Amino acid sequence: GESVGLHLPTLSVQEGDNSIINCAYSNSASDYFIWYKQESGKGPQFIIDIRSNMDKRQGQRVTVLLNKTVKHLSLQIAATQPGDSAVYFCAENISGAGSYQLTFGKGTKLSVIP
Amino acid sequence: KAGVTQTPRYLIKTRGQQVTLSCSPISGHRSVSWYQQTPGQGLQFLFEYFSETQRNKGNFPGRFSGRQFSNSRSEMNVSTLELGDSALYLCASSAPSYEQYFGPGTRLTVT
């Protein structure tokens, strides 16, 4: 059949506000999760990761929360800036044992209003 | 440290032809993975190579194949191209600590 483009959820935030992007993952056996940022015309850029034995990890202006009970992942961006405008993807590694087979979410488009 | 590089960046091919894409990982990274990104299906895993061996494989037809060389550089090949193969093909290499870094991608257009 004809493929239809993904309709990405969009989050619009005011510059300086905090952003929260949510993601549901599918495999309860996934041991590693990553958030990526993708700008137009570029490959995904690593933001932050978290392993399944943790529930929170902080980076520079970003925090990832992992709730294994409900299979939910969130990315919090503090003091959002125009340069944060991009599509954000969560990914889970379903392979385990140190190898890689990432399953990506559909993505969320973040628009920062100056 | 140089990032992941992919060549060519853009490619136009005709249905039925074959294509080879190349990826050079970050120095010291031994795992290389390939992904296909389309507007309809999003980002989908193709395969992963480690030490010249395919370690994981996604759900793609046998027309999609790859290999890895002793210097960790990798190539992927698509034979008998179809219109639906038009996509951004992304290569990622991974550090021993698990972080996976992507290249800029090769934009393949099949006409």
Side-chain angles (χ1 to χ4, degrees), chain A residues 8-86:
Chain A
L8 296 178
T10 299
L11 176 65
S12 295
V13 298
Q14 207 70 37
E15 182 179 356
D17 286 352
N18 296 335
S19 303
I20 299 176
I21 301 172
N22 296 303
C23 173
Y25 64 92
S26 58
N27 192 331
S28 56
S30 295
D31 66 342
Y32 178 60
F33 305 86
I34 318 172
W35 279 99
Y36 287 97
K37 170 187 179 182
Q38 188 174 27
E39 297 172 290
S40 182
K42 297 184 178 180
Q45 176 189 352
F46 175 91
I47 301 173
I48 192 168
D49 59 359
I50 188 167
R51 301 197 185 192
S52 58
N53 61 353
M54 304 171 69
D55 52 23
K56 181 179 179 179
R57 190 163 188 225
Q58 288 183 291
Q60 187 175 12
R61 283 202 307 120
V62 293
T63 300
V64 55
L65 299 177
L66 174 63
N67 185 329
K68 294 182 285 295
T69 303
V70 295
K71 292 191 284 187
H72 183 268
L73 200 62
S74 68
L75 175 70
Q76 300 176 4
I77 304 173
T80 313
Q81 302 168 359
D84 295 328
S85 293

Side-chain angles (χ1 to χ4, degrees), chain B residues 51-67:
Chain B
S51 293
E52 302 177 65
T53 301
Q54 188 179 86
R55 191 158 64 171
N56 288 296
K57 188 177 189 306
N59 189 26
F60 277 80
R63 299 186 297 108
F64 292 80
S65 63
R67 60 177 176 168

Side-chain angles (χ1 to χ4, degrees), chain B residues 9-66:
Chain B
R9 292 293 312 279
Y10 303 92
L11 205 49
I12 300 175
K13 289 286 188 178
T14 305
R15 272 180 300 176
Q17 289 186 314
Q18 73 165 12
V19 67
T20 299
L21 313 180
S22 181
C23 171
S24 292
I26 293 171
S27 178
H29 290 190
R30 293 167 64 194
S31 168
V32 174
S33 299
W34 288 90
Y35 295 82
Q36 181 196 65
Q37 186 173 29
T38 60
Q41 301 298 321
L43 273 154
Q44 293 186 289
F45 173 80
L46 280 156
F47 25 67
E48 182 213 6
Y49 285 88
F50 181 83
S51 293
E52 302 177 65
T53 301
Q54 188 179 86
R55 191 158 64 171
N56 288 296
K57 188 177 189 306
N59 189 26
F60 277 80
R63 299 186 297 108
F64 292 80
S65 63

